[in-house]
Amino acid sequence: MRLNGEISYRNDEDEEMKNERDSSLSCSIGADISQQKELVVGYALTSKKTKSFLQPKLEGLARNKGISFVAIDQNKPLSDQGPFDIVLHKLSGKEWRRILEDYRQKHPEVTVLDPPDAIQHVYNRQSMLQDVADLNLSDNYGIVGVPRQLFIMKDPSAIPDAVAKARLTLPLVAKPLVVDGSAKSHELSLAFDKCSLSKLDPPLVLQEFVNHGGVLFKVYIVGDAIKVVRRFSLPDVSKREMLSNTGVLPFPRVSCAAASADNADLDPAVAELPPRPLLEKLSRELRRRLGLRLFNIDIIREHGTRDKYYVIDINYFPDP
């Protein structure tokens, strides 16, 4: 199996997608302010996130809709700042979560995007996909589930026996258990044989690899709005390759520009987007269950099927 293409189990966006998502965010925020003169959004973001998110185009669009963005000073009490109509944030740490929860209690009139506890739910891969599994979504448009998976908390030497007991089928995608924004939390790999499993570094989740034609679908959700794009992903693994490949293979990372598969010459059966009604139902249910309004889900379609889908990741307010 050659891996010179994009491995898209990450939070990558191209410029066009970012602009459309930001436009959707501005429209979503401004949807309920027809009777207001101005809506103030306080934002607490990392410097990297601020630079990528607050583009001139977004700020111009927001101004036209009566929306202003105001930076939150993390060195001052949050309650002393504002007043805000919305608090938009993506910071980590227990102290920040405590500050936000206290602010929500004192200012129930302010919309916080999104509640800290809800965000933490998708920062742990043990709980991230549970709502998808519990949803058990199946209708005329398709079936949506999650790949079979196993959580390993410690003791790498016990992994081969645990995998055998769970009857998981190789190869397995190995993902760190916690998604904390660090480079390590995105260091994913593919384990081909039983002997290599003990080389992995817990805590982690082992997820059965599902052949999906080398393409995944990233569904960006901003309130009621959704946008779907194609991304190149891991190529399929044949039975012959399973016999010849051994060890643990890290996923390579390349630029997000190379990730886009929207204009690629693909097999129509692979390129076809999931049915819109199915995605709308899935996003609506996940918004309700997760308590989030600003996130994306990564979906694959099992190769050789038309309607069997798997959610493999959920990301809050994804970075470009």
Side-chain angles (χ1 to χ4, degrees):
M1 181 176 66
R2 293 181 299 175
L3 295 175
N4 349 349
E6 161 68 7
I7 304 308
S8 201
Y9 282 75
R10 297 185 59 206
N11 308 337
D12 290 331
E13 300 174 273
D14 56 25
E15 190 67 23
E16 180 182 359
M17 180 60 239
K18 179 163 65 64
N19 288 337
E20 290 195 37
R21 183 207 62 191
D22 293 347
S23 176
S24 297
L25 176 60
S26 179
C27 292
S28 180
I29 290 175
D32 299 324
I33 63 170
S34 57
Q35 303 302 318
Q36 290 183 239
K37 186 174 181 180
E38 183 183 48
L39 184 141
V40 180
V41 179
Y43 64 91
L45 308 171
T46 63
S47 57
K48 178 183 177 183
K49 186 67 176 178
T50 300
K51 184 177 179 180
S52 66
F53 173 68
L54 282 181
Q55 297 289 315
K57 183 176 180 179
L58 173 64
E59 292 186 288
L61 179 64
R63 278 194 301 270
N64 291 338
K65 292 181 174 293
I67 304 169
S68 63
F69 288 94
V70 178
I72 291 173
D73 188 340
Q74 297 175 51
N75 296 316
K76 297 180 180 179
L78 185 54
S79 291
D80 292 348
Q81 301 179 62
F84 302 121
D85 298 289
I86 294 174
V87 169
L88 178 67
H89 70 100
K90 192 175 183 182
L91 297 176
S92 58
K94 292 181 179 179
E95 180 60 18
W96 173 247
R97 295 201 301 271
R98 185 195 64 77
I99 291 171
L100 264 188
E101 289 294 355
D102 181 65
Y103 182 82
R104 292 180 69 213
Q105 293 295 323
K106 293 179 179 178
H107 298 275
E109 76 282 3
V110 178
T111 299
V112 175
L113 291 177
D114 271 309
D117 288 346
I119 296 171
Q120 287 301 118
H121 187 74
V122 297
Y123 280 172
N124 187 308
R125 287 192 167 101
Q126 189 164 9
S127 55
M128 175 192 292
L129 301 181
Q130 189 57 51
D131 286 291
V132 180
D134 292 343
L135 183 58
N136 195 27
L137 178 57
S138 177
D139 61 17
N140 294 333
Y141 295 101
I143 302 170
V144 180
V146 299
R148 296 180 63 220
Q149 51 189 16
L150 176 67
F151 302 100
I152 305 294
M153 305 308 294
K154 56 183 180 179
D155 191 7
S157 64
I159 297 178
D161 288 340
V163 167
K165 186 176 181 180
R167 297 184 179 180
L168 294 188
T169 302
L170 295 163
L172 297 173
V173 180
K175 306 180 179 183
L177 186 66
V178 177
V179 183
D180 58 7
S182 67
K184 184 175 176 59
S185 68
H186 294 289
E187 291 178 354
L188 315 183
S189 56
L190 195 63
F192 283 96
D193 63 276
K194 182 178 178 180
C195 294
S196 66
L197 295 173
S198 58
K199 300 176 183 178
L200 298 173
D201 185 21
L204 52 80
V205 55
L206 296 175
Q207 201 173 76
E208 282 189 339
F209 178 75
V210 178
N211 281 339
H212 52 283
V215 171
L216 66 77
F217 308 99
K218 297 186 81 71
V219 183
Y220 293 88
I221 299 165
V222 182
D224 294 331
I226 65 172
K227 171 69 178 179
V228 189
V229 296
R230 301 177 189 87
R231 288 287 186 266
F232 285 119
S233 181
L234 283 172
D236 290 347
V237 180
S238 68
K239 291 182 179 179
R240 184 175 65 180
E241 288 170 329
M242 272 301 302
L243 293 174
S244 60
N245 286 319
T246 59
V248 176
L249 190 63
F251 292 1
R253 295 182 177 185
V254 297
S255 68
C256 61
S260 178
D262 281 330
N263 298 317
D265 184 16
L266 299 170
D267 180 342
V270 172
E272 182 182 7
L273 295 176
R276 186 82 181 186
L278 183 70
L279 295 181
E280 289 175 344
K281 184 175 182 179
L282 176 62
S283 63
R284 183 171 60 249
E285 286 295 328
L286 287 181
R287 285 201 318 270
R288 181 178 65 83
R289 289 169 178 258
L290 295 172
L292 297 175
R293 284 164 285 185
L294 184 58
F295 63 103
N296 94 281
I297 52 181
D298 291 348
I299 299 179
I300 59 174
R301 176 173 49 232
E302 185 172 351
H303 193 45
T305 74
R306 288 185 59 94
D307 61 357
K308 194 170 184 180
Y309 299 92
Y310 295 92
V311 175
I312 58 173
D313 241 335
I314 300 176
N315 307 293
Y316 171 68
F317 198 175
D319 292 321

